Amino acid sequence: MATHRISLLGANTIPDTTGRAFFEPYSVKATNDIFRHLVGVLNDPAAAQAHGFYGQFPIPKNYVGTVSIIVVWTTTATTGNFRSRFQYRAVGGDDTESLDQATFQETVSVTDAAPSAANERMEASFTLTAGNLAVDDSVTFLYERLDDTGVDTLAAAVTIHDILCQYNDA
């Protein structure tokens, strides 16, 4: 058995319409202008406000279970907590399930503390219900920064370097 990670960021990922989630070159927020790859930005939320990115990805052929979502992030802040959630629905089969769903199948949230120094690589991990997913499912998702309970106390933008689906194979 091996553990795999696949990136969920790409052409199927778009920001919501709040204007508080967007993509920009990393050189805009980074101190050094050497690395200019595209990153997602989640601005500091107002009270009870959520904003984030929509996307879609397929469940790989070698998937057998133990699935989690790993968000690789950083910020310039060194104090406070970053709260986010991952909501999704897996749709499978051939001519059996609608891709036009009205609800999420599962919602998971996590709170992660600020890095000990600005721009350090951080990972926030969400554990999904493995039984919700099957090989070849199309998974549509919404990943958001939120302050639903006053827990997000990180007073700065968060930079998203990657969103990964981590799973085990046979």
Side-chain angles (χ1 to χ4, degrees):
M1 180 179 349
T3 301
H4 302 273
R5 285 184 170 186
I6 57 172
S7 180
L8 307 186
L9 294 181
N12 281 337
T13 310
I14 63 167
D16 65 18
T17 59
T18 63
R20 301 187 62 76
F22 51 90
F23 291 101
E24 69 182 13
Y26 185 45
S27 56
V28 172
K29 296 236 182 335
T31 303
N32 302 303
D33 292 335
I34 296 173
F35 303 105
R36 298 172 184 261
H37 59 284
L38 202 59
V39 294
V41 176
L42 297 171
N43 278 333
D44 190 7
Q49 182 187 49
H51 54 281
F53 301 98
Y54 291 93
Q56 184 273 334
F57 66 99
I59 297 298
K61 294 279 189 198
N62 62 345
Y63 168 80
V64 295
T66 313
V67 64
S68 57
I69 300 299
I70 311 294
V71 177
V72 180
W73 68 279
T74 195
T75 184
T76 55
T78 57
T79 61
N81 291 318
F82 164 49
R83 183 155 172 81
S84 60
R85 72 178 165 205
F86 188 84
Q87 301 177 92
Y88 72 94
R89 175 166 291 281
V91 178
D94 180 15
D95 196 19
T96 56
E97 259 186 288
S98 173
L99 288 164
D100 187 15
Q101 296 285 333
T103 61
F104 293 108
Q105 186 171 12
E106 183 174 29
T107 298
V108 289
S109 300
V110 69
T111 302
D112 207 9
S116 60
N119 295 311
E120 286 187 338
R121 184 182 188 278
M122 303 293 291
E123 287 191 3
S125 179
F126 302 83
T127 301
L128 305 185
T129 302
N132 288 345
L133 308 168
V135 168
D136 291 335
D137 278 358
S138 295
V139 180
T140 55
F141 69 88
L142 173 58
Y143 171 71
E144 298 176 294
R145 181 176 183 181
L146 69 151
D147 192 19
D148 58 344
T149 57
V151 176
D152 189 312
T153 57
L154 191 83
V158 168
T159 304
I160 305 298
H161 286 262
D162 213 346
I163 302 174
L164 305 162
C165 176
Q166 179 174 291
Y167 66 95
N168 291 336
D169 67 7

XYZ file of all heavy atoms in Angstrom, residues 18-91:
586
model
N -17.265 36.695 -4.205
C -17.171 37.696 -3.140
C -16.105 38.754 -3.419
O -16.137 39.833 -2.839
C -16.826 37.044 -1.794
O -15.523 36.440 -1.909
C -17.869 36.021 -1.377
N -15.107 38.420 -4.241
C -13.977 39.318 -4.455
C -12.912 39.178 -3.377
O -11.861 39.803 -3.446
N -13.170 38.354 -2.372
C -12.216 38.160 -1.271
C -11.343 36.929 -1.485
O -10.421 36.671 -0.727
C -12.970 38.073 0.055
C -13.788 39.346 0.327
C -14.394 39.358 1.688
N -13.420 39.333 2.753
C -12.663 40.365 3.156
N -12.747 41.508 2.541
N -11.816 40.232 4.153
N -11.646 36.154 -2.521
C -10.842 34.997 -2.915
C -10.422 35.215 -4.367
O -11.262 35.507 -5.216
C -11.655 33.716 -2.782
N -9.123 35.080 -4.640
C -8.643 35.333 -5.996
C -7.277 34.684 -6.189
O -6.651 34.219 -5.229
C -8.570 36.838 -6.285
C -7.820 37.625 -5.253
C -6.446 37.846 -5.355
C -8.485 38.161 -4.160
C -5.762 38.567 -4.387
C -7.807 38.892 -3.182
C -6.437 39.090 -3.299
N -6.812 34.655 -7.430
C -5.487 34.147 -7.759
C -4.579 35.314 -8.122
O -5.026 36.293 -8.716
C -5.562 33.165 -8.939
C -6.249 31.877 -8.601
C -7.565 31.660 -8.965
C -5.581 30.880 -7.913
C -8.207 30.476 -8.652
C -6.207 29.691 -7.585
C -7.523 29.489 -7.959
N -3.292 35.193 -7.748
C -2.290 36.196 -8.109
C -0.916 35.542 -8.086
O -0.749 34.474 -7.479
C -2.330 37.390 -7.150
C -1.856 37.087 -5.739
C -1.963 38.279 -4.796
O -2.626 39.282 -5.132
O -1.393 38.196 -3.701
N 0.098 36.157 -8.706
C 1.456 35.612 -8.614
C 1.962 35.693 -7.174
O 1.680 36.663 -6.462
C 2.283 36.528 -9.517
C 1.291 37.232 -10.382
C 0.014 37.312 -9.588
N 2.696 34.676 -6.742
C 3.214 34.659 -5.369
C 4.117 35.865 -5.100
O 4.218 36.330 -3.969
C 3.962 33.353 -5.104
C 4.421 33.196 -3.670
C 3.571 33.490 -2.606
C 5.695 32.736 -3.377
C 3.987 33.338 -1.291
C 6.118 32.588 -2.065
C 5.259 32.889 -1.025
O 5.679 32.746 0.269
N 4.748 36.399 -6.119
C 5.654 37.542 -5.945
C 4.931 38.783 -5.410
O 5.574 39.683 -4.870
C 6.355 37.869 -7.261
O 5.407 38.099 -8.277
N 3.603 38.839 -5.494
C 2.853 39.980 -4.955
C 2.946 40.006 -3.429
O 3.122 41.063 -2.823
C 1.376 39.937 -5.410
C 0.556 41.000 -4.695
C 1.289 40.103 -6.917
N 2.843 38.857 -2.774
C 2.861 38.808 -1.300
C 4.212 38.389 -0.726
O 4.522 38.690 0.419
C 1.793 37.835 -0.807
C 0.386 38.264 -1.145
C -0.473 38.374 0.058
C -1.893 38.754 -0.195
N -2.250 39.486 -1.352
N 5.030 37.678 -1.491
C 6.311 37.192 -0.991
C 7.331 38.333 -0.898
O 7.246 39.317 -1.630
C 6.843 36.093 -1.906
N 8.273 38.191 0.003
C 9.325 39.185 0.170
C 10.296 39.163 -1.004
O 10.709 40.199 -1.507
C 10.101 38.912 1.484
O 9.171 38.917 2.554
C 11.166 39.958 1.714
N 10.668 37.976 -1.433
C 11.573 37.821 -2.575
C 10.736 37.619 -3.830
O 9.718 36.956 -3.798
C 12.484 36.603 -2.368
C 13.284 36.752 -1.094
O 13.999 37.720 -0.916
N 13.129 35.803 -0.189
N 11.157 38.186 -4.930
C 10.377 38.106 -6.165
C 10.870 37.016 -7.104
O 10.634 37.063 -8.305
C 10.391 39.456 -6.884
C 9.618 40.510 -6.106
O 8.731 40.128 -5.336
O 9.908 41.702 -6.276
N 11.536 36.006 -6.571
C 12.084 34.942 -7.413
C 10.992 34.005 -7.894
O 10.945 33.638 -9.063
C 13.161 34.148 -6.641
C 14.332 35.066 -6.317
C 13.623 32.946 -7.438
C 15.359 34.441 -5.418
N 10.099 33.605 -7.015
C 9.080 32.611 -7.345
C 7.770 33.301 -7.664
O 7.195 33.983 -6.831
C 8.937 31.598 -6.216
C 10.249 30.918 -5.918
C 10.983 31.247 -4.791
C 10.764 29.993 -6.805
C 12.202 30.645 -4.536
C 11.987 29.384 -6.561
C 12.707 29.705 -5.427
N 7.296 33.124 -8.874
C 6.130 33.859 -9.378
C 4.982 32.935 -9.765
O 4.159 33.295 -10.593
C 6.552 34.714 -10.574
C 7.594 35.741 -10.196
C 8.154 36.446 -11.421
N 9.216 37.347 -11.025
C 9.064 38.645 -10.851
N 7.898 39.203 -11.045
N 10.083 39.390 -10.489
N 4.939 31.735 -9.175
C 3.842 30.820 -9.497
C 2.515 31.390 -8.997
O 2.473 32.234 -8.106
C 4.106 29.428 -8.914
C 4.281 29.411 -7.428
N 5.441 29.840 -6.802
C 3.441 29.032 -6.437
C 5.304 29.713 -5.495
N 4.096 29.235 -5.243
N 1.444 30.911 -9.585
C 0.113 31.368 -9.230
C -0.321 30.741 -7.907
O -0.154 29.539 -7.704
C -0.870 30.980 -10.333
C -2.160 31.767 -10.434
C -1.873 33.252 -10.653
C -3.004 31.226 -11.573
N -0.838 31.556 -7.009
C -1.336 31.086 -5.717
C -2.755 31.622 -5.504
O -3.142 32.635 -6.083
C -0.430 31.532 -4.543
C 0.937 30.885 -4.630
C -0.301 33.052 -4.491
N -3.501 30.937 -4.672
C -4.809 31.425 -4.270
C -4.658 32.333 -3.068
O -3.784 32.120 -2.223
N -5.488 33.356 -2.973
C -5.457 34.274 -1.838
C -6.840 34.302 -1.208
O -7.850 34.421 -1.894
C -5.045 35.699 -2.278
C -5.120 36.662 -1.098
C -3.657 35.694 -2.887
N -6.854 34.155 0.119
C -8.083 34.278 0.902
C -7.883 35.438 1.866
O -7.108 35.337 2.821
C -8.366 32.980 1.658
C -8.623 31.751 0.792
C -8.669 30.489 1.645
C -9.907 31.914 0.001
N -8.548 36.545 1.614
C -8.406 37.710 2.471
C -8.981 37.451 3.857
O -9.755 36.515 4.059
C -9.075 38.927 1.845
C -8.186 39.595 0.815
O -6.965 39.499 0.886
N -8.789 40.262 -0.141
N -8.605 38.299 4.789
C -9.096 38.226 6.160
C -10.617 38.362 6.143
O -11.141 39.331 5.588
C -8.457 39.352 6.977
C -8.692 39.233 8.456
O -9.236 38.209 8.901
O -8.313 40.171 9.175
N -11.349 37.405 6.722
C -12.810 37.478 6.649
C -13.403 38.459 7.654
O -12.853 38.679 8.728
C -13.254 36.054 6.989
C -12.177 35.554 7.884
C -10.894 36.198 7.395
N -14.524 39.027 7.289
C -15.318 39.783 8.254
C -16.074 38.758 9.097
O -16.109 37.574 8.766
C -16.286 40.704 7.515
N -16.683 39.186 10.166
C -17.420 38.268 11.036
C -18.467 37.492 10.244
O -19.204 38.066 9.455
C -18.080 39.044 12.163
N -18.494 36.188 10.463
C -19.472 35.282 9.858
C -19.459 35.307 8.333
O -20.463 35.060 7.696
C -20.868 35.574 10.391
N -18.322 35.641 7.761
C -18.205 35.676 6.304
C -17.351 34.506 5.825
O -16.352 34.174 6.452
C -17.564 36.991 5.858
C -17.456 37.122 4.356
C -16.678 38.345 3.958
O -15.588 38.577 4.480
N -17.216 39.122 3.061
N -17.732 33.900 4.708
C -16.954 32.820 4.110
C -16.643 33.190 2.669
O -17.439 33.849 2.007
C -17.731 31.512 4.164
N -15.478 32.781 2.197
C -15.095 33.009 0.811
C -14.040 31.987 0.419
O -13.252 31.558 1.256
C -14.601 34.434 0.590
C -13.495 34.844 1.507
N -13.706 35.222 2.804
C -12.165 34.919 1.315
C -12.556 35.533 3.375
N -11.604 35.345 2.498
N -14.060 31.562 -0.860
C -13.115 30.534 -1.247
C -13.163 30.164 -2.714
O -13.509 30.977 -3.564
N -12.846 28.893 -2.979
C -12.668 28.399 -4.336
C -13.537 27.170 -4.593
O -13.634 26.284 -3.751
C -11.200 28.018 -4.563
C -10.263 29.169 -4.359
C -9.580 29.338 -3.161
C -10.064 30.101 -5.362
C -8.727 30.406 -2.964
C -9.219 31.182 -5.173
C -8.537 31.340 -3.979
N -14.128 27.143 -5.776
C -14.887 25.990 -6.257
C -13.991 25.153 -7.166
O -13.128 25.703 -7.851
C -16.101 26.434 -7.079
C -17.181 27.104 -6.288
C -17.215 28.484 -6.151
C -18.178 26.347 -5.682
C -18.221 29.113 -5.426
C -19.190 26.960 -4.962
C -19.206 28.346 -4.838
O -20.203 28.950 -4.117
N -14.215 23.843 -7.185
C -13.433 23.003 -8.075
C -14.062 21.643 -8.281
O -15.130 21.332 -7.730
N -13.389 20.840 -9.085
C -13.838 19.491 -9.404
C -12.615 18.640 -9.693
O -11.638 19.123 -10.262
C -14.762 19.538 -10.623
C -15.382 18.228 -11.027
C -14.530 17.390 -11.970
O -13.708 17.891 -12.716
N -14.721 16.099 -11.917
N -12.652 17.365 -9.268
C -11.569 16.435 -9.564
C -12.107 15.008 -9.594
O -13.123 14.704 -8.974
C -10.424 16.556 -8.537
C -10.779 16.131 -7.144
C -10.442 14.862 -6.676
C -11.427 16.995 -6.270
C -10.756 14.467 -5.386
C -11.744 16.613 -4.969
C -11.408 15.338 -4.532
N -11.425 14.110 -10.325
C -11.848 12.709 -10.383
C -11.147 11.881 -9.308
O -10.008 12.167 -8.931
C -11.395 12.267 -11.776
C -10.164 13.083 -12.014
C -10.403 14.417 -11.329
N -11.807 10.848 -8.829
C -11.168 9.900 -7.916
C -10.355 8.918 -8.770
O -10.892 8.302 -9.684
C -12.211 9.152 -7.050
C -12.962 10.152 -6.161
C -11.548 8.069 -6.205
C -12.101 10.907 -5.170
N -9.046 8.779 -8.481
C -8.166 7.950 -9.319
C -8.517 6.461 -9.306
O -9.148 5.955 -8.374
C -6.787 8.160 -8.687
C -6.905 9.414 -7.911
C -8.325 9.481 -7.436
N -8.071 5.772 -10.339
C -8.332 4.334 -10.521
C -7.756 3.487 -9.392
O -8.284 2.441 -9.080
C -7.736 3.844 -11.842
C -8.390 4.420 -13.057
C -9.652 3.701 -13.383
C -10.188 4.149 -14.741
N -11.579 3.800 -14.897
N -6.654 3.939 -8.780
C -6.004 3.136 -7.741
C -6.477 3.483 -6.321
O -5.906 3.008 -5.348
C -4.487 3.244 -7.845
C -3.981 4.658 -7.634
O -4.741 5.626 -7.680
N -2.683 4.787 -7.422
N -7.530 4.271 -6.173
C -8.058 4.660 -4.861
C -8.692 3.452 -4.160
O -9.462 2.710 -4.753
C -9.113 5.752 -5.033
C -9.917 6.033 -3.791
C -9.404 6.828 -2.789
C -11.190 5.487 -3.609
C -10.136 7.087 -1.637
C -11.926 5.741 -2.471
C -11.397 6.535 -1.486
O -12.114 6.790 -0.347
N -8.339 3.263 -2.878
C -9.014 2.241 -2.069
C -9.544 2.802 -0.751
O -10.312 2.141 -0.079
C -8.109 1.010 -1.777
C -7.784 0.275 -3.054
C -6.876 1.388 -1.008
N -9.143 3.998 -0.369
C -9.683 4.569 0.861
C -8.700 5.434 1.612
O -7.649 5.795 1.097
N -9.051 5.766 2.849
C -8.282 6.633 3.729
C -7.945 7.934 3.002
O -6.816 8.165 2.591
C -6.996 5.938 4.228
O -7.317 4.629 4.665
C -6.376 6.714 5.380
N -8.951 8.771 2.834
C -8.797 9.990 2.043
C -8.814 11.232 2.927
O -9.561 11.308 3.901
C -9.876 10.079 0.937
C -11.260 10.185 1.537
C -9.609 11.208 -0.018
N -7.957 12.185 2.587
C -7.953 13.477 3.262
C -7.617 14.568 2.258
O -7.062 14.310 1.193
C -6.981 13.490 4.444
O -5.684 13.168 4.022
N -7.974 15.772 2.620
C -7.638 16.947 1.830
C -6.566 17.697 2.610
O -6.725 17.966 3.804
C -8.882 17.843 1.609
C -9.972 17.076 0.869
C -8.493 19.130 0.879
C -9.596 16.571 -0.506
N -5.470 18.004 1.948
C -4.352 18.724 2.559
C -4.248 20.088 1.884
O -4.116 20.167 0.656
C -3.013 17.968 2.372
C -3.138 16.497 2.774
C -1.880 18.691 3.086
C -3.386 16.257 4.229
N -4.313 21.147 2.661
C -4.163 22.495 2.121
C -2.783 23.005 2.523
O -2.442 23.064 3.704
C -5.264 23.433 2.650
C -5.048 24.855 2.145
C -6.634 22.905 2.238
N -1.977 23.334 1.514
C -0.643 23.897 1.731
C -0.806 25.413 1.679
O -1.206 25.962 0.653
C 0.353 23.403 0.662
C 1.729 24.007 0.898
C 0.424 21.877 0.651
N -0.491 26.067 2.797
C -0.765 27.493 2.913
C 0.340 28.218 3.660
O 1.195 27.602 4.294
C -2.107 27.714 3.599
C -2.146 27.317 5.058
C -2.300 26.068 5.559
C -2.017 28.191 6.186
N -2.289 26.093 6.934
C -2.110 27.390 7.342
C -1.835 29.561 6.330
C -2.030 27.920 8.631
C -1.751 30.090 7.614
C -1.859 29.277 8.744
N 0.290 29.533 3.613
C 1.161 30.376 4.413
C 0.511 31.741 4.576
O -0.548 32.022 4.008
C 2.575 30.497 3.820
O 3.440 31.040 4.826
C 2.613 31.365 2.582
N 1.172 32.590 5.339
C 0.699 33.953 5.574
C 1.862 34.784 6.101
O 2.885 34.228 6.515
C -0.474 33.967 6.585
O -0.969 35.304 6.720
C -0.061 33.435 7.938
N 1.694 36.070 6.115
C 2.710 36.946 6.711
C 2.501 37.098 8.214
O 3.403 37.524 8.922
C 2.682 38.341 6.054
O 1.351 38.870 6.163
C 3.097 38.257 4.587
N 1.316 36.729 8.699
C 1.018 36.822 10.135
C 1.705 35.688 10.894
O 1.878 34.595 10.367
C -0.482 36.765 10.368
N 2.062 35.945 12.137
C 2.695 34.916 12.973
C 1.913 34.638 14.253
O 2.378 33.899 15.118
C 4.136 35.330 13.335
O 4.105 36.599 13.992
C 5.007 35.408 12.089
N 0.741 35.230 14.356
C -0.141 34.945 15.490
C -1.568 34.792 14.971
O -1.921 35.344 13.931
C -0.121 36.065 16.552
O -0.564 37.289 15.953
C 1.265 36.238 17.141
N -2.359 34.052 15.715
C -3.759 33.869 15.362
C -4.028 32.502 14.768
O -3.122 31.688 14.567
N -5.286 32.245 14.509
C -5.742 30.980 13.945
C -6.405 31.205 12.594
O -7.119 32.193 12.403
C -6.748 30.299 14.871
C -6.107 29.810 16.135
O -5.020 29.255 16.114
N -6.783 30.012 17.256
N -6.196 30.249 11.702
C -6.797 30.229 10.371
C -7.841 29.118 10.356
O -7.525 27.976 10.641
C -5.691 29.986 9.339
C -6.144 29.576 7.976
C -7.138 30.275 7.303
C -5.548 28.506 7.337
C -7.537 29.899 6.023
C -5.932 28.121 6.061
C -6.936 28.820 5.409
N -9.093 29.470 10.068
C -10.176 28.477 10.042
C -10.678 28.331 8.605
O -10.902 29.318 7.918
C -11.317 28.899 10.945
C -12.444 27.864 10.999
C -13.214 27.989 12.298
N -14.405 27.157 12.330
C -14.400 25.860 12.609
N -13.266 25.231 12.859
N -15.535 25.168 12.640
N -10.852 27.091 8.188
C -11.362 26.848 6.841
C -12.202 25.579 6.820
O -12.187 24.796 7.768
C -10.217 26.760 5.834
O -9.327 25.717 6.141
N -12.932 25.421 5.719
C -13.760 24.222 5.579
C -13.710 23.732 4.131
O -13.451 24.492 3.206
C -15.185 24.465 6.023
C -16.006 25.332 5.105
C -17.435 25.474 5.603
N -18.080 26.587 4.911
C -19.088 27.265 5.393
N -19.585 26.970 6.575
N -19.619 28.248 4.705
N -13.989 22.441 4.014
C -14.041 21.776 2.717
C -15.395 21.093 2.621
O -15.736 20.270 3.467
C -12.904 20.760 2.603
C -12.742 20.163 1.247
C -12.013 20.822 0.270
C -13.315 18.942 0.935
C -11.841 20.276 -0.995
C -13.165 18.383 -0.322
C -12.425 19.051 -1.290
N -16.171 21.478 1.626
C -17.491 20.888 1.390
C -17.464 20.220 0.021
O -16.917 20.789 -0.920
C -18.569 21.967 1.400
C -18.621 22.737 2.708
C -19.644 23.843 2.641
O -20.791 23.642 3.004
N -19.235 25.010 2.161
N -18.057 19.043 -0.085
C -17.984 18.335 -1.363
C -19.174 17.422 -1.580
O -19.940 17.125 -0.672
C -16.693 17.517 -1.439
C -16.694 16.300 -0.541
C -17.088 15.059 -1.018
C -16.341 16.395 0.803
C -17.115 13.946 -0.187
C -16.353 15.295 1.634
C -16.749 14.069 1.124
O -16.780 12.977 1.942
N -19.291 16.968 -2.818
C -20.223 15.916 -3.197
C -19.542 15.066 -4.252
O -18.996 15.578 -5.213
C -21.525 16.462 -3.764
C -22.419 15.304 -4.267
C -23.844 15.707 -4.543
N -24.620 16.035 -3.377
C -25.186 15.161 -2.533
N -25.010 13.877 -2.686
N -25.917 15.581 -1.529
N -19.566 13.746 -4.038
C -19.038 12.787 -5.010
C -20.206 12.248 -5.826
O -21.221 11.841 -5.271
C -18.323 11.652 -4.295
N -20.043 12.262 -7.134
C -21.080 11.777 -8.048
C -20.466 10.678 -8.898
O -19.406 10.858 -9.497
C -21.614 12.917 -8.943
C -22.660 12.392 -9.918
C -22.190 14.036 -8.087
